[in-house]
Amino acid sequence: MEQAAKVEEIKGKALGEIAGCADEAALIRVHNAYLAKKSELSALMGAMKSVPPTERASFGKAINDCRKAIEAAYSEKEKAIKAAVLARKLEAETIDISLPPRERKIGHVNPYYQIIDEMTDIFVGMGFEVKEGRDVETDHYNFELLNVPKDHPARDMQDTFYITDSLLLRTQTSAAQAHAMVEKADKGPIKMICPGKCYRRDDDDVTHSHQFGQIEGLVVDKGVSLADLKGTLELFVKKMFGEKRQIRLRSSYFPFTEPSVEVDVSCAHCGGKGCDMCKGTGWIEILGAGEVHPNVLRMCGYDPEVYSGFAFGVGVERIAILRYGIDDIRRFYQNDERFLKDYLEK
Ligand code: PHE
């Protein structure tokens, strides 16, 4: 019965080693050592012939039981090791949910474009078409077609950035008026606005910037009068600043309009009584406008005996400053996040 004792011994050793395994690799090594083809247990199985026939059945069973016991201990231990590994991993990867999250910065429309969108919406609501202009213009469109020939003193009003003798950075969106009329194939009615940037050699300060936005408006049709201009701008101002705002037209001069006017809006701050905002006058200037000059109509291919029109040019930042109480035009271009954020919350 020496072999039966041997089986018991193998089993005891195997179970002991399995119990002592610290990780999966060690466990696999023990498993292979005891259950592989060349193991002691297999050798005993091969020695079956030397066992007396009467004892063979019980000996075979003893070996099988031993094998099963080792397998069972192995899978038990395997489960325990895997559970321990997982527990260690969870412990190591613990997330501290009490930490405050990182602030996410969400981008938004720049106030400059936001105000353009608002103004554009109002004019589109009145049936204006939106045209795109160009920042780099020819002297021809920026000046000549607008009744400002080369030696005209009005050129001094707008200190121009010239690129070449005939190319320049647009000083006014009025260049878009000329484009609209010249490019209108059937020379029929026009009702358009053109938002865009303009450039002048100004010294930057609180109210001046060498770069600023304008929205040009142009209406050309038969029988268009200054009353139409006034009605259009009144509606715009009321939609932009509120029902209570009024406008007033003051006589002015632009080479491309006749008559020309400057348009003021009643001061929202003091309601017209006079304050710092309106320099005591009760009114704040917001734009230049007028009836399209017959020379301009003619140069752009329209017969001034048949057609008339009005045009206006409104400063984008000016409107934003009044609407949102922004104190310095330069803020639009400095990209200071605090300003941009501040503006959003208003
Ligand atoms: N272009 C003029 C300016 O920049 C404004 C204007 C536009 C005046 C259209 C009359 C008509 O000052």
Side-chain angles (χ1 to χ4, degrees):
M1 221 24 254
E2 181 188 322
Q3 267 123 335
K6 185 84 186 148
V7 171
E8 274 311 302
E9 189 196 319
I10 292 171
K11 185 165 126 187
K13 250 169 62 189
L15 297 188
E17 280 180 41
I18 287 173
C21 281
D23 57 33
E24 234 181 325
L27 187 63
I28 288 168
R29 271 198 304 274
V30 174
H31 181 268
N32 289 346
Y34 285 94
L35 297 176
K37 272 202 186 123
K38 284 186 179 158
S39 66
E40 279 182 278
L41 212 54
S42 304
L44 279 177
M45 198 64 169
M48 186 69 92
K49 281 183 252 122
S50 60
V51 176
T54 49
E55 289 170 21
R56 277 187 193 162
S58 67
F59 179 62
K61 186 171 180 303
I63 289 181
N64 254 339
D65 287 350
C66 173
R67 191 178 278 278
K68 276 190 199 151
I70 296 174
E71 287 285 8
Y74 169 82
S75 47
E76 221 20 57
K77 187 69 182 174
E78 189 188 34
K79 260 193 248 163
I81 287 176
K82 283 196 168 147
V85 167
L86 181 65
R88 270 202 301 277
K89 205 169 164 202
L90 287 177
E91 176 79 22
E93 291 174 5
T94 305
I95 296 164
D96 182 355
I97 56 164
S98 68
L99 269 182
R102 286 210 188 96
E103 192 195 349
R104 276 209 196 187
K105 289 180 183 157
I106 299 171
H108 59 86
V109 181
N110 184 286
Y112 172 83
Y113 287 103
Q114 192 164 313
I115 205 85
I116 287 185
D117 284 351
E118 276 181 51
M119 292 203 265
T120 303
D121 270 357
I122 295 173
F123 286 115
V124 166
M126 290 190 246
F128 283 78
E129 186 188 341
V130 183
K131 292 252 189 202
E132 224 174 293
R134 52 201 87 177
D135 287 24
V136 176
E137 262 301 349
T138 58
D139 186 276
H140 188 62
Y141 277 94
N142 194 80
F143 288 125
E144 306 249 345
L145 286 176
L146 295 170
N147 206 26
V148 192
K150 279 264 177 324
D151 52 357
H152 198 287
R155 287 204 179 208
D156 298 341
M157 284 161 64
Q158 302 181 355
D159 237 338
T160 311
F161 287 111
Y162 276 96
I163 297 164
T164 66
D165 279 351
S166 56
L167 272 186
L168 46 81
L169 291 182
R170 172 173 62 188
T171 61
Q172 51 187 354
T173 44
S174 299
Q177 283 184 42
H179 276 289
M181 287 185 269
V182 168
E183 282 144 30
K184 183 79 177 164
D186 63 0
K187 297 292 172 238
I190 296 175
K191 192 171 183 185
M192 70 94 183
I193 55 163
C194 173
K197 289 209 175 86
C198 303
Y199 308 84
R200 290 182 200 176
R201 292 173 50 202
D202 248 335
D203 288 328
D204 293 1
D205 63 24
V206 176
T207 53
H208 293 90
S209 169
H210 61 280
Q211 172 188 324
F212 57 94
Q214 269 190 346
I215 294 189
E216 191 77 8
L218 173 72
V219 174
V220 176
D221 207 340
K222 290 172 184 160
V224 174
S225 73
L226 212 57
D228 297 315
L229 169 70
K230 192 174 179 204
T232 303
L233 293 180
E234 209 158 50
L235 193 57
F236 164 70
V237 160
K238 286 185 189 298
K239 290 228 185 259
M240 198 73 205
F241 298 112
E243 278 302 313
K244 292 206 181 107
R245 301 277 78 79
Q246 288 173 344
I247 61 166
R248 108 182 151 175
L249 273 52
R250 274 182 297 112
S251 173
S252 185
Y253 172 77
F254 298 103
F256 34 90
T257 46
E258 182 58 38
S260 299
V261 291
E262 245 147 357
V263 179
D264 299 339
V265 58
S266 59
C267 180
H269 199 60
C270 62
K273 284 199 257 351
C275 66
D276 279 353
M277 274 279 273
C278 57
K279 299 191 187 99
T281 64
W283 296 93
I284 296 172
E285 185 194 321
I286 54 163
L287 60 89
E291 286 265 298
V292 181
H293 198 292
N295 286 352
V296 174
L297 286 169
R298 201 176 299 114
M299 281 189 281
C300 294
Y302 279 81
D303 180 356
E305 299 298 327
V306 182
Y307 278 93
S308 58
F310 69 74
F312 57 87
V314 49
V316 172
E317 293 86 351
R318 198 95 235 266
I319 299 295
I321 283 169
L322 292 177
R323 176 101 140 94
Y324 296 103
I326 295 164
D327 58 349
D328 187 335
I329 192 170
R330 291 170 295 189
R331 292 201 188 282
F332 289 100
Y333 304 104
Q334 286 163 338
N335 277 336
D336 185 331
E337 226 182 307
R338 287 165 303 181
F339 161 69
L340 298 173
K341 210 162 141 250
D342 212 34
Y343 177 92
L344 227 210
E345 282 159 8
K346 278 186 182 156

